[in-house]
Amino acid sequence: MGCKKSKVFGVGFHKTGTSSLAAALRELGYSVCGHIGVSRPNIADVAEDLALEHLDRYDAFQDNPWPLLYRRMDCHCPGSKFILTTRPPKEWIRSVVMHFGGTTTPMREWIYGVGDPRGNEKIYIERYEQHNREVREYFRNRPNDLLELKITQGEGWKKICPFLNEEMPSIPFPHANRGSTREVRRAIPEWLKSVVSSLRNTL
């Protein structure tokens, strides 16, 4: 199975600005596929088959399992563009733990070997850095096919538009999922949650 036209693959790990990348690509006119198969118990065995089912339906792809499939997608869709979103490891793991800590999924078990990042920060950082190194090495002699984008550090339209040969939008680069409700809620101290709950009960 091959692609009928050029595709764009976001190959950065989650919590590196992938939601912002999706929003930016949609603004540029791409139809974007997000995560697939996150809770499938056998995701490691079926990820590529699931991906192939979605290739003809979308122009761009980001979130899991797409980062793990960049080599296969490069074979299936020659001429595609790949965007590696990255952020500083310490900043990245804080976001990962805040967002996913205390929970597990088959997808994260496949990626990291353990599903819950809390208490496994070193394992997660090592896997994250390994992935970024491998992507850079794979595209080392193909600079026109890979863009490394640091969205959380302010990079946006000025890098992504020339890379994709797209006109620069007049609106600011989107920053989706920044300070998401879930992360903000987890950051609220328990005593403050209790006070808010008590006030609600008295109103």
Side-chain angles (χ1 to χ4, degrees):
M1 179 179 179
C3 291
K4 296 179 181 178
K5 63 177 182 177
S6 179
K7 303 286 188 179
V8 178
F9 293 95
V11 295
F13 273 9
H14 44 200
K15 310 310 296 178
T16 60
T18 56
S19 296
S20 296
L21 175 62
L25 290 171
R26 291 189 181 101
E27 180 63 31
L28 293 174
Y30 294 82
S31 59
V32 183
C33 177
H35 63 77
I36 54 174
V38 170
S39 299
R40 290 282 293 265
N42 61 336
I43 184 59
D45 299 320
V46 301
E48 185 173 347
D49 289 338
L50 283 177
L52 294 178
E53 293 174 5
H54 288 73
L55 284 183
D56 286 336
R57 288 188 265 165
Y58 297 91
D59 306 315
F61 311 83
Q62 58 83 37
D63 212 328
N64 292 321
W66 302 103
L68 277 70
L69 302 176
Y70 64 92
R71 294 182 181 88
R72 300 306 303 155
M73 296 302 101
D74 189 32
C75 292
H76 285 293
C77 304
S80 293
K81 297 289 190 177
F82 294 82
I83 299 176
L84 176 66
T85 48
T86 62
R87 67 192 296 186
K90 290 183 179 179
E91 178 185 305
W92 173 78
I93 193 60
R94 281 197 301 269
S95 182
V96 169
V97 171
M98 185 172 289
H99 195 88
F100 300 113
T103 66
T104 184
T105 63
M107 183 71 74
R108 292 201 302 279
E109 290 174 3
W110 175 37
I111 296 172
Y112 303 101
V114 286
D116 188 349
R118 188 174 297 167
N120 296 299
E121 289 87 349
K122 183 179 179 181
I123 293 173
Y124 270 58
I125 289 176
E126 288 176 350
R127 181 69 182 94
Y128 167 71
E129 293 182 325
Q130 175 192 5
H131 172 75
N132 292 341
R133 287 194 304 270
E134 290 174 348
V135 172
R136 294 179 188 122
E137 177 61 24
Y138 181 83
F139 290 101
R140 182 167 53 92
N141 298 317
R142 297 165 53 188
N144 293 329
D145 295 338
L146 176 69
L147 172 70
E148 185 165 346
L149 190 63
K150 299 177 177 64
I151 293 175
T152 66
Q153 294 176 268
E155 295 183 345
W157 295 133
K158 289 184 179 180
K159 288 194 70 173
I160 196 172
C161 289
F163 177 69
L164 297 178
N165 196 28
E166 299 282 357
E167 292 187 9
M168 193 92 65
S170 58
I171 66 169
F173 191 85
H175 288 282
N177 217 19
R178 175 185 282 176
S180 68
T181 301
R182 182 178 179 183
E183 293 188 4
V184 170
R185 184 170 61 248
R186 288 189 174 191
I188 298 174
E190 290 301 321
W191 66 265
L192 184 54
K193 292 179 184 178
S194 299
V195 171
V196 172
S197 178
S198 297
L199 288 174
R200 285 176 177 169
N201 291 335
T202 59
L203 293 177

